């Protein structure tokens, strides 16, 4: 075994259950490279929404560690994904971002590919040049209820179809596949991607989110017995709202049961339809809808939120009036891109049905607050005096994330 | 032995006495990491002055390589130092700089520590959670005549108490412990921390310091026999001023004898009370005091300067009217923070007794001149064509610093 | 053999002829360091023109990887080159750029060297100090027809004198040795130095150079049989211009034959006098001369261009009215400096005989276009999904460059 590999296995073996991970997981280039290999080139990653590439030729380019992937709607309306690298001398094909193309033309020597990735033209080649050998390299891609995932592995995880099948009924009533993008925001956080994910798995820090806590119950992650004294009043409100919501979900036939399989499977996930506080409709100061036109054909905005968490790199809040998606992309051991996208009904009119500022305000503020906390955590775990400490009971999902993560490393490192 | 370690030992063994160090000592990340371990986690480091944390709850946070340390006045008025890392998930507690706190509260999940470091409150923990296991980790701290030192080692160097006892009588008459901070300046130099220290150990380069040379005798580092022709006139002035100063020191009972033990001990140091040129009182264009109110109860400003050099990271000029302290903190192989602090009598009034611009002018200019020289030295030693050259006799203190430094590396690397 | 070395040899052995190089050659720090050692400290490098240092004391300082070299005209009018490092404590002597000196004085401790590199003065040394031991370290330097080359090796490549002797007759009629610098431009490209050189060896990408293609025949690199249909008209024009030019060259006794020895020798090179389109005189929109005063004593501006390519780091276009030189200097695996210099007759008057904007316009635009292509190539080859692809026939000189480059690595790495 390589010495580097045994050092990594030792670290994994040393982990104390219930405690945070050692510093090097978050700061060391070797661990970062391992994360790219063991997690980001193996798993299905959430990178876009169908609504970003609605028409043939529409494309979106996303950076995944050292990789760059083009997500494209082909001429037949199907989703395609390709490595963003010309087959000639390797030049990058498309810049990062979104656009629309007829063919994919390399800017260097004009090698030209169809939307199916086939090489259509390479200038000035000899007669025996075989274009069929030089199609763009494909990347696995699929949409789950309007959410676009890619997988860089040759063989994607075997359990993803099952996960997708269990998630889709929750998403279906919101019809995200035909939604439209109302707003987008990229935020570079000064912390490791795992700190960004861990931060999202607990509300133990929610004191720092005054805008979010207008509607998001701070009792998230507590059981009835463990709710602390200062949250008991909120918990009472939650129980009443929860009872009402369950009745609504039953009446409308909306799936709502909690599924929580964060560490038991390759594609760890959690899904739950849950109540919100105040008007219970949306993430706004008084909880009323931020968009008048509701998603799909939903008959009422008072639906709380469908919370979906999908490892390794995403979470979602899908409401009656809008949806907001979060994609986490590692840039460096201490730099992570958080990409947030807000979706509304395709016919919702900006300025009439919704105001983008109101729509995005809570999560923009919450993201920035989280970014400050993540930066503070990154600074601390980079200090050699840091030693892993114990998670509180309400942080059990962070523990589950770490357990899942280490299982992935073990799989990668096994002889 | 690890291969890296043997490479380092080879370099140490290769050193030619009387010659500058090889380039990698100043440029190589491995040597930088070794310096942090062998020097900055072993030695007592000058990081603050008592005057920065006069009242209970006052705190100052300082970065030492990858470490961050909180220096704090506790509720009983004692000095404390802690690692700036929460015992929960490791978040940084305090930002760099100075402030005042009641308790130390982690911004992430509100774990709350007293000024004694004890964990007072951790929200929502189970009944068996033992707060006593999670006090902030302590760092050794002590004040020597108003100068605050910390030591990251479990066992600090055994000789420091003796060094402190020999230094304190020199410092005592200036009463720095109850002085006040008149000004501060942080300067990031583009050079290795050793180049900053070496530059300070010789006046061979003093031509480049016109403001300083108004009062600082350029004959520093020369013996009577070795004074070059162009400095003989200055040397005559020095001898006259020196004779007068010795009489003054004797009359006032001020310790003044030179102690120079730069490489003979773990805590290398040098102390000397010495004459200044012109009015002989302070670092000003005509040598007169920059602060009307004198330090302590000193009866006259005409006292020259008490020059203290303390390895690995500090030097000081303590005068009748003010004191100026210098703390050197490594940031990267080629980046070093020089932190300069000016102290005056606690009752000296800005604008009446002293003008901050006049007080700080000479050393601000001198620091900037030195920074340019250090940057030039760093650029040169990074060139593979550089080979160590011979120190001039007047650079004997630089040689002593290198000897001391290599002894520390040998101790660290010995099998 | 060191493990690192065997990894490099494996990569060299793995190379498929006719295909681009693997990604790590362009992105990996180990390969970059190997390039500095195997190429840039072994070969003659084009770094300046005689016209930059015409008078005694004139000097130009150039960075070559971690090295810094002073090119200097000495008191006797000879060319000298020295490592830009003081022999005392290694401080950098001169900043990058051009200047004029009487002596070379180190800014740190005033060690003073003559223009012959001898140490003339070192202050305050003991009587037995031997100045003769501390002359500046020399670097090989020579001018070839007014183009200045340095070599960092102890023993420069044995074949350079022969190459120089074959090149000089082509250059001689243009009398660059007494030309003057009309303009200079430094451009930092976001790509490996080899991508910059490779980009220059083919016109397969020339569609992206509209300004250059006014006069530069896009058929460069094609044989009569391989000219693509869209370039046939241009090729007809080229054949006519070529025939006329050959007659002119014969009449004027100007050497013009193609010599192409890109990979057959240590100092790979290519030289050819060739026609330009339209007026055929210069790189201008209509092909007419950009400088009224011609180089040397040339009787006509209608001379096309003398194209010289000299590995590892330079190319040149020498015309009737001006010359333009290109020097490629590696800064990092993904950063390269391209230094462009325009030369005109020493008595040509700016504003009368030439307008600097017109003179520099085409190559400034072309350089910027190339920089964008090189950056795109660098981004692509850094993607793990990149795999080497086949060169088109018209890219045969890129293939030759790679072959030459790998031969240099093999020489360096052989046991």
């Amino acid at each position: 075994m390589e010495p580097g590999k045994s050092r990594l296995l030792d670290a994994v073996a040393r982990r104390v259950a219930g405690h945070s991970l050692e510093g090097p997981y978050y700061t060391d280039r070797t661990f970062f490279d391992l994360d790219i290999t063991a997690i980001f080139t193996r798993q299905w990653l959430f990178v876009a929404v169908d609504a970003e590439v609605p028409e043939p030729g529409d494309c979106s380019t996303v950076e995944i560690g050292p990789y760059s992937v083009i997500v494209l709607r082909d001429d037949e309306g199907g989703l395609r994904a390709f490595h963003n690298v010309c087959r000639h001398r390797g030049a990058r094909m498309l810049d990062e971002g979104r656009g629309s193309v007829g063919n994919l033309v390399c800017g260097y020597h004009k090698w030209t590919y169809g939307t199916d990735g086939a090489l259509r033209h390479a200038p000035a080649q000899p007669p025996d040049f075989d274009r069929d050998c030089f199609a763009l390299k494909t990347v696995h891609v699929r949409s789950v209820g309007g959410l676009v995932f890619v997988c860089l592995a040759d063989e994607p995880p075997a359990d993803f179809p099952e996960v997708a099948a269990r998630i889709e009924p929750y998403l279906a009533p919101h019809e995200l596949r035909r939604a439209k993008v109302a707003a987008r925001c990229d935020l570079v956080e000064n912390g490791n991607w795992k700190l960004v994910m861990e931060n999202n798995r607990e509300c133990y820090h929610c004191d720092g989110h005054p805008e979010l806590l207008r509607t998001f119950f701070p009792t998230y992650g507590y059981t009835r017995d463990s709710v602390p004294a200062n949250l008991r009043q909120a918990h009472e409100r939650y129980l009443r709202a929860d009872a009402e919501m369950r009745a609504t979900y039953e009446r409308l036939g909306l799936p709502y049961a909690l599924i929580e399989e964060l560490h038991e499977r390759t594609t760890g996930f959690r899904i739950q339809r849950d109540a919100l506080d105040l008007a219970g409709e949306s993430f706004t100061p008084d909880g009323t809808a931020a968009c008048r036109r509701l998603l799909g054909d939903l008959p009422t905005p008072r639906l709380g939120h469908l919370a979906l968490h999908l490892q390794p790199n995403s979470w979602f809040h899908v409401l009656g009036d809008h949806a907001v998606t979060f994609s986490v992309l590692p840039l460096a051991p201490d730099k992570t891109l958080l990409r947030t996208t807000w979706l509304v009904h395709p016919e919702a009119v900006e300025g009439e049905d919704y105001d983008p500022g109101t729509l995005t305000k809570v999560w923009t503020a919450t993201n920035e607050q989280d970014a400050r906390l993540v930066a503070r955590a990154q600074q601390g775990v980079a200090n050699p005096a840091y030693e892993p400490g114990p998670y509180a009971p309400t942080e059990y999902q962070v523990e589950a994330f770490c357990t899942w993560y280490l299982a992935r490393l073990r799989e990668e490192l096994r002889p």
Side-chain angles (χ1 to χ4, degrees), chain A residues 182-197:
Chain A
R184 278 191 204 95
C185 181
D186 276 4
L187 177 65
V188 174
E189 303 201 21
N190 293 313
N192 187 272
W193 72 275
K194 295 186 291 293
L195 291 177
V196 176
M197 293 301 289

Side-chain angles (χ1 to χ4, degrees), chain A residues 43-351:
Chain A
Q43 297 264 316
W44 283 97
L45 309 173
F46 170 67
V47 296
V49 290
D50 270 274
E52 288 174 290
V53 288
E55 300 294 330
D58 288 349
C59 53
S60 174
T61 300
V62 61
E63 314 291 296
I64 301 168
Y67 293 86
S68 177
V69 173
I70 301 169
V71 173
L72 184 84
R73 186 73 56 186
D74 69 21
D75 294 347
E76 277 69 47
L79 266 184
R80 303 261 190 175
F82 304 107
H83 284 292
N84 188 14
V85 178
C86 182
R87 294 300 307 277
H88 176 218
R89 280 161 62 185
R92 168 156 301 197
M93 301 284 302
L94 297 183
D95 292 330
E96 201 175 0
R98 278 153 297 273
S100 186
V101 298
N103 289 305
L104 291 157
V105 183
C106 178
Y108 204 167
H109 303 96
K110 311 296 177 205
W111 282 35
T112 301
Y113 305 84
T115 60
D116 58 354
L119 178 60
R120 293 205 171 152
H121 182 59
Q125 295 292 350
D128 64 345
F129 178 78
D130 184 358
R131 289 199 312 248
D132 293 347
C133 297
F134 299 104
L136 288 178
K137 290 186 176 185
T138 58
V139 173
H140 295 284
V141 62
R142 66 167 291 179
S143 167
V144 179
L147 311 174
V148 177
F149 294 79
V150 298
C151 181
L152 293 164
D154 290 337
E155 292 192 29
D159 74 336
F160 195 75
E162 183 208 333
V163 171
R166 291 167 74 189
I167 288 171
E168 271 173 332
Y170 288 76
L171 293 168
H174 302 267
E175 295 185 20
L176 298 183
R177 205 179 296 258
R178 61 184 199 90
K180 81 163 186 185
V181 174
R184 278 191 204 95
C185 181
D186 276 4
L187 177 65
V188 174
E189 303 201 21
N190 293 313
N192 187 272
W193 72 275
K194 295 186 291 293
L195 291 177
V196 176
M197 293 301 289
E198 292 169 13
N199 176 74
N200 183 258
R201 285 303 82 212
E202 43 92 359
C203 210
Y204 193 34
H205 72 271
C206 277
D207 266 10
H209 295 317
E211 297 84 355
L212 181 64
L213 286 196
R214 299 283 303 172
T215 52
F216 193 88
F217 284 108
T219 51
Y220 180 85
Y222 289 98
T223 58
R224 182 185 288 260
D225 295 340
S226 71
V227 171
N230 64 321
L231 298 181
R232 277 201 199 121
Q233 206 176 339
H235 191 61
E236 292 304 317
R237 280 205 313 284
Y238 169 71
L239 291 175
R240 284 194 299 272
D242 182 51
E244 181 200 327
M245 279 301 113
R246 281 166 188 265
T248 304
Y249 302 151
E250 292 284 353
R251 194 179 72 240
L252 300 176
L254 297 177
Y256 64 91
L258 169 65
I259 311 175
E260 187 170 85
E261 301 180 6
L262 290 168
H263 64 89
E264 296 85 349
R265 57 162 66 247
T266 304
T267 305
F269 79 107
R270 183 184 192 281
I271 195 165
Q272 178 180 29
R273 203 177 287 275
D274 209 359
L276 289 176
D277 207 347
L278 301 181
E281 300 172 5
S282 198
F283 297 114
T284 51
D286 61 358
T288 57
C291 182
R292 277 205 309 217
R293 181 81 196 237
L294 302 189
L295 288 171
D297 295 316
L298 292 167
T300 168
R302 185 159 166 82
L303 293 171
H305 66 125
L306 170 61
L308 168 60
H309 167 84
L310 229 156
Q311 272 146 211
N313 83 318
S314 58
W315 66 89
F316 310 84
H317 293 282
V318 186
L319 301 101
D321 68 331
H322 78 280
V324 52
T325 73
F326 302 81
S327 175
V328 171
L329 294 162
L331 303 175
D334 60 352
K335 292 254 180 288
T336 302
L337 175 66
L338 176 66
R339 178 162 288 163
T340 307
T341 307
W342 287 262
L343 298 169
V344 294
H345 189 281
E347 285 157 27
V349 178
E350 183 177 326

